């Protein structure tokens, strides 16, 4: 093969009529639609890459050895004088022509990403779409879109990228900036710290440097306020193109909008629901201490009363609803009965109380109803809406000793225990409530028992299937006191409560005694392989090569001298792991290997040592 480095680059202007597709050109099948699209691109942007050709002995003209698609596209443009003569790079000899024909891009050095960004951006300004640019450059649309997202970068950033002073990832971080002065300041810091090593600035550090006070669009305040209201107040919006996130550039304006909308929303909710007042709290959660510090009291819904017939019907429908066996009409009837049982606030309560709202971490509005301000409490008590507090100031020194108080407390607990013995259903519901509804710091303390969190998910979850019933539904967020929460919990029905209790208990199963575990497995007819399939990721790549060789031979009844055994033994570790994964998980692979029924059964039942 001719040494390409010694061949001079010869480019000639050739009349299109003198061109033809060389027999050396390997492209014989083309898409008519692609050719038409490419022709449209060339018409708009011109011929970006020259054709490559060779003058074959005994023929007139120049045979196109590289650029067959461009040649066919140019054929569609011959009514345009611009393309009746084209630039062609001429091969000096047949060896060179063959090389170009088999490797069209061999004589064209790939563009640097920084140059691609500039070129793609310039073409987009001429009106070309990403798809057209992709066709013109032989790139994927996805790649073009990624480059166009960076087309607005400052020229100094692109220069630094081309000079390898910053990485592509670091360059992407600069897309959030619209401040030239800050961009250049941060760019110098990034260049000074390099692209690798402990001192290199991360993407996050770059973004923080470019917009130190920005607020992400996922922030609860941004979600609650919305882009339009924020912009209407004069707020500026940026964006992180590679994180697909809107950025709020003016935190003070956002906070002002947040507080104003919070106040107006609270007033509107109060008016719509008949409350005397509404107030917004800027915190992302309102704790009971928050209410206590404001010295507000609280009124609760007046519980509705169901007739005996309605109560029986409610229980009947409840069982159907909890079992997903209730039709639409029955569900509607159940909700009506539940609403009646839940009761509601009276007109008198509305006249003396109000609501507090807050915006949670997701940007959703949460409402706390029935709060009575300190200055309204006396009137509320006089109206019979609020009970007078039985709380008295604790004397500086109690006449009851701590030891005596402990005895008194035990007596109170004993009386409660005695009473609960006569209502075992209530006792079990209370246990289910405690063990399934406690969440984080909101622990429910009814019994001196708890279920510690036991993470029973393997580090690699590939090939492992956990029964969905072991995942309890998220506890319903508390809307009131624990008494209200428990009342709502019991309305699910005792059967549903017990189901949740059993699921919570089973989810914590951890038997340390082998004989007891064997007994449970025997009683339940446990089959581990129904929930576990060994794969390269979860098992085979985590053991040694000799282990995999022995397992392959054992499963397929091979001797060490067998050709299939030798072939497997000669594979790299990763290839062995992948092949064993296919043996276990791909029926076509087993069929191709001629796996017998006996071997099939052996593979289906196999488990690593210690799992049997």
């Amino acid at each position: 093969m001719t040494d390409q480095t010694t061949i001079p680059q010869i480019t000639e202007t050739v009349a299109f009529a003198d061109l033809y597709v060389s027999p050396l050109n390997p492209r014989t099948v083309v898409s008519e639609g692609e050719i038409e699209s490419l022709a449209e691109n060339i018409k708009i942007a011109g011929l970006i890459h020259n054709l490559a050709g060779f003058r074959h002995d005994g023929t007139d003209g120049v045979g196109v050895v590289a650029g067959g698609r461009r040649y066919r596209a140019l054929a569609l443009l011959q009514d345009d004088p611009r393309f009746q003569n084209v630039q062609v790079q001429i091969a000096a000899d047949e060896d060179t022509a063959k090389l170009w024909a088999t490797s069209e891009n061999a004589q064209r050095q790939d563009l640097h990403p920084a140059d691609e960004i500039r070129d793609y951006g310039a073409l987009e300004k001429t009106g070309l779409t990403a798809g057209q640019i992709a066709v013109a450059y032989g790139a994927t649309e996805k790649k073009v879109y990624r480059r166009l997202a960076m087309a607005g970068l400052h020229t100094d950033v692109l220069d630094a990228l081309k000079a390898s002073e910053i990485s592509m990832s670091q360059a992407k971080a600069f897309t959030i900036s619209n401040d030239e002065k800050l961009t250049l300041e941060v760019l110098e810091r990034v260049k000074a710290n390099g692209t690798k090593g402990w001192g290199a600035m991360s993407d996050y550090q770059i973004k923080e440097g470019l917009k130190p006070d920005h607020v992400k669009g996922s922030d609860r305040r941004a979600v609650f306020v919305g882009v339009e209201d924020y912009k209407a107040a004069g707020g500026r919006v940026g964006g992180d193109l590679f994180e697909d996130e809107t950025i709020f550039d003016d935190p003070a304006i956002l906070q002002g909008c947040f507080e104003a909308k919070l106040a107006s929303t609270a007033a509107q909710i109060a008016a719509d629901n008949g409350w005397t007042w509404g107030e917004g709290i800027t915190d992302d959660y309102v704790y009971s201490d928050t209410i206590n510090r404001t010295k507000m009291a609280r009124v609760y819904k007046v519980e509705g009363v169901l007739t005996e017939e309605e109560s029986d019907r409610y229980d009947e429908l409840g069982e159907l609803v909890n079992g997903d066996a209730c039709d639409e009409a029955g569900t509607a009837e159940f909700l009506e009965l539940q609403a009646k049982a839940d009761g509601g606030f009276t007109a008198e309560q509305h006249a003396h109380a109000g609501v507090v709202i807050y915006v949670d971490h997701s940007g959703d509005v949460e409402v706390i109803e029935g709060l009575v301000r300190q200055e309204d409490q006396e009137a509320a008590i006089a109206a019979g809406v609020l009970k007078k507090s039985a709380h008295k100031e604790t004397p500086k020194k109690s006449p009851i000793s701590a030891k005596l108080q402990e005895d008194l407390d035990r007596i109170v607990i004993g009386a409660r225990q005695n009473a609960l013995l006569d209502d075992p259903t209530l006792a079990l519901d209370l246990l289910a409530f405690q063990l399934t509804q406690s969440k984080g710091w909101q622990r429910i303390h009814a019994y001196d028992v708890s279920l510690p969190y036991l993470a029973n998910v393997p580090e690699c979850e590939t090939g492992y299937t956990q029964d969905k019933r072991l995942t309890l539904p998220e506890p319903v967020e508390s809307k009131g006191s624990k008494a209200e929460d428990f009342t709502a919990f019991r309305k699910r029905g005792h059967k549903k409560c017990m189901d949740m209790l059993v699921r919570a208990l089973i989810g914590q199963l951890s038997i340390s005694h082998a004989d007891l575990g064997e007994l449970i497995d025997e009683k339940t007819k446990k089959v581990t392989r129904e929930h576990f399939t060994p794969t390269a990721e979860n098992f085979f790549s985590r053991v040694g090569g000799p282990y995999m060789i022995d397992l392959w031979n054992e499963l397929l009844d091979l001797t060490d001298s067998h050709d299939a055994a030798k072939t497997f033994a000669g594979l790299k570790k990763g290839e062995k792991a992948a092949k064993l994964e296919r043996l276990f998980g791909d029926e076509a692979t087993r069929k191709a290997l001629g796996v017998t029924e006996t071997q099939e059964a052996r593979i289906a039942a196999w488990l690593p040592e210690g799992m049997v």
Side-chain angles (χ1 to χ4, degrees):
M1 183 66 67
T2 304
D3 181 0
Q4 299 297 302
T5 62
T6 65
I7 296 177
Q9 300 295 313
I10 305 171
T11 302
E12 297 181 8
T13 300
V14 181
F16 183 81
D18 292 336
L19 295 174
Y20 63 92
V21 177
S22 167
L24 296 177
N25 194 305
R27 186 184 292 275
T28 58
V29 179
V30 294
S31 165
E32 185 175 337
E34 280 189 10
I35 296 302
E36 291 175 353
S37 178
L38 180 56
E40 186 62 27
N41 286 1
I42 294 174
K43 184 176 181 180
I44 296 172
L47 186 62
I48 298 172
H49 302 300
N50 293 338
L51 303 177
F54 178 62
R55 288 189 171 87
H56 293 274
D57 293 338
T59 62
D60 295 327
V62 176
V64 177
V65 296
R69 290 172 66 252
R70 278 166 278 157
Y71 170 80
R72 291 174 175 87
L74 287 167
L76 302 178
L77 300 173
Q78 287 310 295
D79 57 345
D80 188 329
R82 293 179 298 161
F83 306 114
Q84 291 172 358
N85 293 284
V86 295
Q87 295 291 303
V88 181
Q89 186 172 331
I90 304 298
D93 53 49
E94 189 169 352
D95 281 349
T96 301
K98 288 179 179 178
L99 176 62
W100 290 359
T102 55
S103 180
E104 180 172 345
N105 294 317
Q107 302 302 310
R108 185 181 78 241
Q109 184 177 1
D110 288 339
L111 285 175
H112 188 280
D115 293 327
E116 285 183 337
I117 293 167
R118 287 188 170 106
D119 284 3
Y120 292 0
L123 289 175
E124 185 183 41
K125 289 179 181 178
T126 68
L128 289 181
T129 66
Q132 292 171 324
I133 296 171
V135 172
Y137 274 80
T140 64
E141 284 193 39
K142 184 177 181 181
K143 178 181 179 180
V144 173
Y145 278 119
R146 288 200 303 265
R147 295 292 189 256
L148 288 177
M150 302 174 71
L153 284 172
H154 192 283
T155 183
D156 286 8
V157 175
L158 291 176
D159 288 344
L161 174 62
K162 187 168 183 179
S164 299
E165 294 174 317
I166 64 173
S167 68
M168 175 63 78
S169 179
Q170 290 172 324
K172 289 177 181 178
F174 280 90
T175 59
I176 73 167
S177 178
N178 50 16
D179 185 325
E180 181 177 5
K181 181 174 180 295
L182 199 55
T183 293
L184 297 178
E185 289 176 357
V186 173
L187 177 61
E188 289 307 311
R189 288 165 49 198
V190 176
K191 289 162 61 176
N193 286 280
T195 61
K196 296 180 180 179
W198 67 269
M201 290 180 68
S202 67
D203 301 351
Y204 173 79
Q205 289 172 321
I206 294 171
K207 292 174 183 178
E208 288 298 303
L210 293 168
K211 292 194 175 181
D213 299 321
H214 74 277
V215 176
K216 289 186 176 182
S218 55
D219 183 276
R220 66 187 185 96
R221 296 169 297 166
V223 173
F224 177 64
V225 171
V227 173
E228 295 307 318
D229 287 353
Y230 165 76
K231 290 169 69 175
R236 296 169 301 165
V237 172
D240 189 337
L241 301 175
F242 292 92
E243 296 294 335
D244 193 23
E245 180 148 38
T246 302
I247 293 175
F248 290 64
D249 290 337
D250 299 296
I253 293 178
L254 176 61
Q255 184 65 24
C257 291
F258 175 70
E259 293 176 2
K261 186 171 182 177
L262 192 65
S264 63
T265 302
Q268 189 62 54
I269 290 175
D272 291 344
N273 294 278
W275 296 105
T276 303
W277 55 269
E279 179 184 332
I281 293 180
T282 57
D283 297 342
D284 63 356
Y285 190 85
V286 175
Y287 300 92
S288 57
D289 284 350
T290 307
I291 301 299
N292 293 337
R293 284 198 302 271
T294 61
K295 299 191 176 183
M296 285 192 281
R298 190 168 186 180
V299 295
Y300 298 97
K301 292 180 180 180
V302 176
E303 190 171 348
V305 178
L306 298 179
T307 65
E308 185 174 347
E309 181 181 348
E310 288 175 328
S311 182
D312 290 342
R313 180 60 175 162
Y314 177 83
D315 291 339
E316 177 187 348
L317 290 170
E319 292 293 330
L320 293 173
V321 170
N322 290 329
D324 294 327
C326 196
D327 59 20
E328 189 174 337
T331 301
E333 183 184 355
F334 174 76
L335 293 175
E336 287 179 9
L337 290 171
Q338 182 168 296
K340 182 177 180 180
D342 290 342
F345 293 101
T346 66
E348 290 81 6
Q349 288 175 319
H350 279 104
H352 291 86
V355 296
V356 162
I357 72 166
Y358 63 93
V359 176
D360 68 14
H361 67 280
S362 299
D364 297 324
V365 175
E366 300 292 343
V367 182
I368 303 174
E369 299 180 293
L371 296 174
V372 183
R373 287 170 168 165
Q374 187 177 21
E375 59 267 29
D376 299 327
Q377 290 172 16
E378 187 174 340
I381 292 170
V385 169
L386 187 67
K387 291 183 179 180
K388 190 171 183 179
S389 176
H391 177 72
K392 295 181 179 180
E393 291 278 339
T394 304
K396 290 184 178 179
K397 185 176 181 180
S398 173
I400 299 176
S401 67
K403 192 168 185 178
L404 174 57
Q405 186 62 56
E406 288 179 7
D407 282 343
L408 296 177
D409 292 341
R410 291 189 180 111
I411 292 170
V412 171
I413 293 172
R416 182 176 293 151
Q417 290 170 330
N418 293 341
L420 201 54
L421 287 171
D422 294 327
D423 194 344
T425 297
L426 175 62
L428 288 171
D429 285 352
L430 184 57
L431 176 62
F433 179 62
Q434 173 176 331
L435 296 183
T436 66
Q437 301 298 292
S438 292
K439 184 180 180 183
W441 60 269
Q442 294 179 304
R443 306 301 300 177
I444 298 167
H445 299 285
Y447 296 100
D448 189 20
V449 295
S450 63
L451 291 179
Y453 175 69
L454 297 176
N456 191 43
V457 178
E459 182 177 345
C460 174
E461 295 184 49
T462 302
Y464 173 69
T465 305
Q466 187 179 50
D467 195 311
K468 292 181 179 179
R469 291 174 297 175
L470 289 175
T471 305
L472 287 171
E474 282 291 313
V476 177
E477 187 170 344
S478 175
K479 299 295 183 183
S481 67
K482 286 293 176 277
E484 286 180 299
D485 293 344
F486 180 47
T487 300
F489 179 80
R490 292 200 77 207
K491 285 180 179 177
R492 302 182 185 194
H494 181 65
K495 182 178 178 182
K496 184 68 174 179
C497 293
M498 291 304 98
D499 174 64
M500 293 182 69
L501 174 60
V502 169
R503 288 164 63 183
L505 289 171
I506 293 175
Q508 306 300 314
L509 183 68
S510 180
I511 299 175
S512 57
H513 299 282
D515 59 337
L516 179 58
E518 290 171 3
L519 175 64
I520 298 300
D521 293 345
E522 179 183 348
K523 295 291 185 184
T524 59
K525 295 180 173 57
K526 180 197 76 171
V527 180
T528 302
R529 279 296 301 275
E530 289 182 357
H531 310 284
F532 168 77
T533 300
T535 67
E537 183 181 9
N538 71 19
F539 183 75
F540 299 123
S541 64
R542 300 158 80 175
V543 297
Y547 180 102
M548 289 190 280
I549 293 172
D550 290 343
L551 177 59
W552 177 266
N553 294 346
E554 175 190 341
L555 293 174
L556 299 179
D557 299 309
L558 302 175
T559 62
D560 293 343
S561 59
H562 194 285
D563 288 342
K566 291 179 180 178
T567 300
F568 183 85
L571 297 175
K572 295 179 180 178
K573 180 179 178 181
E575 294 171 335
K576 289 187 179 76
K579 197 158 186 176
L580 276 168
E581 176 176 315
R582 291 195 296 274
L583 179 65
F584 277 80
D586 182 25
E587 184 178 352
T589 296
R590 293 193 295 275
K591 186 175 181 180
L593 290 170
V595 172
T596 66
E597 288 186 6
T598 301
Q599 293 168 346
E600 186 89 37
R602 186 183 304 154
I603 293 167
W606 183 85
L607 283 169
E609 297 79 22
M611 291 185 71
V612 180

